[in-house]
Amino acid sequence: MNRTTIAHARLAASIGQNTRLQGWVRTRRDSKSGFSFIEINDGSCQGNIQVIADNTLENYESEIKHLTTGCSITVEGEIKESGGRGQATEVQAASVQLIGAADPETYPLQKKRHSFEKLREWAHLRPRTNTFGAVARVRNCIINSIHQFYQERGFLNVHTPIITASDCEGAGEMFQVTTMKLDQIAKQSIESLDYKFDFFDRPSYLTVSGQLAAESYACSLGKVYTFGPTFRAENSNTSRHLAEFWMVEPEVAFNDLNDNMDLAEAFLKRIFGDVLEKCPDDMAFFNDRVDENKALIERLEGIVSTDFVRLPYTEAIEILLASKQKFEFEVKWGIDLQSEHERYLTEQHFKKPVVLFDYPRTIKPFYMYCNDDEKTVRAMDVLVPTVGEIIGGSQREHRLDVLESRMRDQDLNVDDYWWYTDLRRYGTVPHAGFGLGLERAIQFATSMANIRDVIPFPRTPGNAEF
Ligand code: 4AD
Ligand code: MG
């Protein structure tokens, strides 16, 4: 008999088919009239399927009546129209086979509701819950849309190094990679540390961004995107920061900041449009059960159908100053906007996504294109309600002399970046790109409050259990 998924078996069109389903028991209920209802789930969709097991089955007393939450089973039987409410189909079992038991004394995911915090302690089992199954499916949908969006537009996907010697963002938040024995070094005087004995002959780190390498490929192949893991050793225990996250970074030659904003807007509209279209059951679940105001679907539909606001940083500061809002951090020209400022702009003032651009150069990395005002750079951040910054990007400085002087201003050693400056030495072109934090996009698409709940095994300060 063909193995099918519960997603398939739940379709009205499957009624009358014989099926073989495999999954994990969510609940079992025994009826007085000699049969049991077993709800099972196999991760293929939000819903379970109800299996009806009669006491005529040979292992009814010995096994079926002892099935508990978490057991894995194989069921064979016929898909029937269901009499129960809220489900189109059910399975009348011809056989139910226990594959793996789950001791109810110790299995953590008993029927009761657990908080998301509690479930983080069982990150290896939480994908068996409705919420984390839905997060995994929406995450997958978004990953797929990302590739489709760029592939359809002729972008090449490039893999950029995970181990690197350059700090792209210049924020010094890097994890060092070494094969030197730290415990032995600790016993020696630190002056004797010689990178000649380290694997790469130099200090090297996990990447904070694939951008510099992506620029190299864009300045040869036109349109590229990277999609890889990114590491930041920032010690911020917030609901929006991870130490390991995934970033998508498109980079396009002959593009300026306006082209970059157009690309970012079209990109976000595509991925949020796709989750609404392709994951309707999971999105209904997030809307009704996770979003505080049951407004998620409406919010995403709004994003897909309305233009984003485009606002220079200087005007944003004026709006914040005029807002009469009490902010924890003082607002004045030159500050790096805090999450409270970003959220005021996008949630309260405009009530839609805002692309902020032309930031003060003092708060941005060396690679951004300098405007003629000598004060600002062609940076852009896309801010969305509930999450704040979801995308950060810029037009790149493609003038060699300006780039080198910016590097010196930021105390970078120009010689270390010889290959990056070569891109400006030979056939330089204006180019631009941005990075979308995948987990921030998933947070926005699901209304999950904490970023640790949208990645399978979150890495944050003090946490790398799984
Ligand atoms: O704004 P960021 O730091 O930009 C860059 O890294 C550029 N090099 C990208 C580029 O132009 N190619 O990071 C980009 C995005 C942020 O907008 C945010 O969505 C996400 O990455 N991000 C994080 N997500 C989770 N945890 C963290 N610690 C993050 N830091 C940044
Ligand atoms: Mg940023």
Side-chain angles (χ1 to χ4, degrees):
M1 195 178 296
N2 281 341
R3 180 159 67 171
T4 51
T5 61
I6 290 176
H8 174 82
R10 279 172 60 91
L11 300 173
S14 304
I15 290 170
Q17 290 175 10
N18 281 319
T19 182
R20 179 161 184 256
L21 294 172
Q22 299 191 294
W24 291 267
V25 173
R26 287 288 178 86
T27 57
R28 193 202 78 241
R29 254 177 335 113
D30 303 323
S31 120
K32 291 202 182 69
S33 23
F35 56 88
S36 298
F37 295 109
I38 314 163
E39 291 267 336
I40 60 170
N41 190 283
D42 64 0
S44 61
C45 60
Q46 176 63 230
N48 305 326
I49 201 152
Q50 175 164 285
V51 175
I52 296 159
D54 284 334
N55 61 5
T56 51
L57 295 171
E58 47 109 7
N59 60 345
Y60 185 77
E61 290 296 331
S62 62
E63 260 178 7
I64 296 175
K65 275 191 81 174
H66 306 287
L67 292 176
T68 52
T69 304
C71 291
S72 52
I73 60 173
T74 298
V75 175
E76 294 188 342
E78 189 189 333
I79 301 169
K80 299 215 153 140
E81 184 170 349
S82 172
R85 272 196 302 144
Q87 56 195 36
T89 64
E90 59 192 25
V91 172
Q92 179 69 48
S95 75
V96 174
Q97 189 194 350
L98 174 66
I99 307 292
D103 181 356
E105 296 294 319
T106 55
Y107 183 60
L109 297 183
Q110 296 304 326
K111 185 77 179 99
K112 79 185 214 25
R113 268 182 95 88
H114 301 283
S115 69
F116 292 154
E117 286 79 10
K118 191 73 204 159
L119 288 170
R120 263 173 238 149
E121 294 172 21
W122 304 314
H124 59 310
L125 292 171
R126 67 180 182 170
R128 293 190 188 176
T129 64
N130 288 338
T131 307
F132 289 89
V135 168
R137 286 185 295 271
V138 166
R139 185 177 171 108
N140 174 69
C141 174
I142 292 179
I143 292 168
N144 192 30
S145 283
I146 289 168
H147 283 294
Q148 282 181 352
F149 176 85
Y150 289 111
Q151 294 292 334
E152 285 165 9
R153 282 171 175 71
F155 284 64
L156 297 184
N157 183 207
V158 294
H159 290 145
T160 51
I162 289 172
I163 300 175
T164 171
S166 41
D167 181 0
C168 171
E169 295 306 294
E173 293 161 336
M174 304 182 85
F175 289 98
Q176 189 160 1
V177 175
T178 180
T179 50
M180 293 196 282
K181 302 285 174 279
L182 297 182
D183 48 351
Q184 284 169 26
I185 291 171
K187 291 180 201 143
Q188 298 165 12
S189 139
I190 251 354
E191 281 102 272
S192 66
L193 192 67
D194 186 344
Y195 281 101
K196 187 164 86 221
F197 300 110
D198 202 359
F199 195 91
F200 297 107
D201 287 348
R202 73 197 66 195
S204 38
Y205 308 90
L206 295 179
T207 187
V208 294
S209 161
Q211 178 195 321
L212 305 187
E215 282 186 53
S216 144
Y217 267 64
C219 291
S220 306
L221 299 165
K223 296 193 275 190
V224 302
Y225 70 106
T226 72
F227 192 169
T230 309
F231 307 87
R232 297 202 182 170
E234 49 193 336
N235 201 0
S236 38
N237 259 307
T238 80
S239 59
R240 294 178 179 77
H241 289 88
L242 289 164
E244 177 182 290
F245 62 98
W246 288 70
M247 186 153 59
V248 187
E249 297 180 271
E251 189 72 36
V252 186
F254 305 101
N255 258 15
D256 64 14
L257 193 74
N258 287 321
D259 303 320
N260 209 33
M261 293 195 235
D262 291 345
L263 183 68
E265 184 166 341
F267 176 42
L268 291 178
K269 286 182 164 157
R270 170 64 182 270
I271 59 183
F272 297 128
D274 277 357
V275 288
L276 289 172
E277 191 189 314
K278 295 180 181 166
C279 302
D281 294 348
D282 290 325
M283 294 308 293
F285 173 85
F286 287 120
N287 188 75
D288 299 347
R289 308 284 293 276
V290 176
D291 191 82
E292 269 182 7
N293 308 310
K294 299 189 195 295
L296 171 65
I297 290 181
E298 198 186 305
R299 192 157 58 239
L300 291 177
E301 284 170 349
I303 302 277
V304 174
S305 60
T306 53
D307 288 346
F308 294 7
V309 174
R310 296 187 185 186
L311 184 76
Y313 168 93
T314 303
E315 284 178 34
I317 293 292
E318 285 160 13
I319 291 173
L320 291 169
L321 285 173
S323 73
K324 305 210 170 66
Q325 195 76 13
K326 267 234 158 303
F327 293 115
E328 191 188 331
F329 294 89
E330 194 198 347
V331 176
K332 59 172 190 250
W333 200 96
I335 60 158
D336 205 355
L337 294 184
Q338 299 292 324
S339 163
E340 55 174 348
H341 307 133
E342 297 177 340
R343 293 184 63 168
Y344 174 79
L345 291 169
T346 177
E347 284 169 22
Q348 299 193 40
H349 191 82
F350 292 108
K351 299 188 170 62
K352 54 172 159 165
V354 179
V355 190
L356 276 190
F357 63 95
D358 285 351
Y359 281 75
R361 60 156 82 164
T362 47
I363 57 170
K364 290 291 181 185
F366 69 94
Y367 55 70
M368 295 185 177
Y369 184 92
C370 291
N371 284 315
D372 293 341
D373 63 9
E374 309 234 304
K375 284 191 336 210
T376 58
V377 285
R378 302 237 81 189
M380 62 173 222
D381 276 3
V382 182
L383 315 177
V384 294
T386 71
V387 170
E389 179 192 335
I390 193 168
I391 279 179
S394 67
Q395 182 175 329
R396 318 308 186 186
E397 184 53 76
H398 69 285
R399 298 163 296 185
L400 182 62
D401 53 334
V402 185
L403 180 65
E404 288 187 337
S405 96
R406 287 273 291 153
M407 287 175 150
R408 286 191 203 95
D409 287 350
Q410 300 200 359
D411 291 328
L412 296 174
N413 182 356
V414 174
D415 295 338
D416 290 346
Y417 292 83
W418 64 273
W419 59 273
Y420 186 71
T421 50
D422 260 6
L423 305 173
R424 281 73 181 164
R425 214 165 268 121
Y426 309 114
T428 193
V429 284
H431 58 286
F434 59 81
L436 167 78
L438 176 67
E439 287 74 19
R440 300 238 179 124
I442 301 168
Q443 269 192 289
F444 186 64
T446 59
S447 290
M448 292 296 284
N450 197 309
I451 197 164
R452 297 164 197 214
D453 297 331
V454 298
I455 188 164
F457 298 103
R459 268 81 180 97
T460 52
N463 285 307
E465 174 73 13
F466 297 94

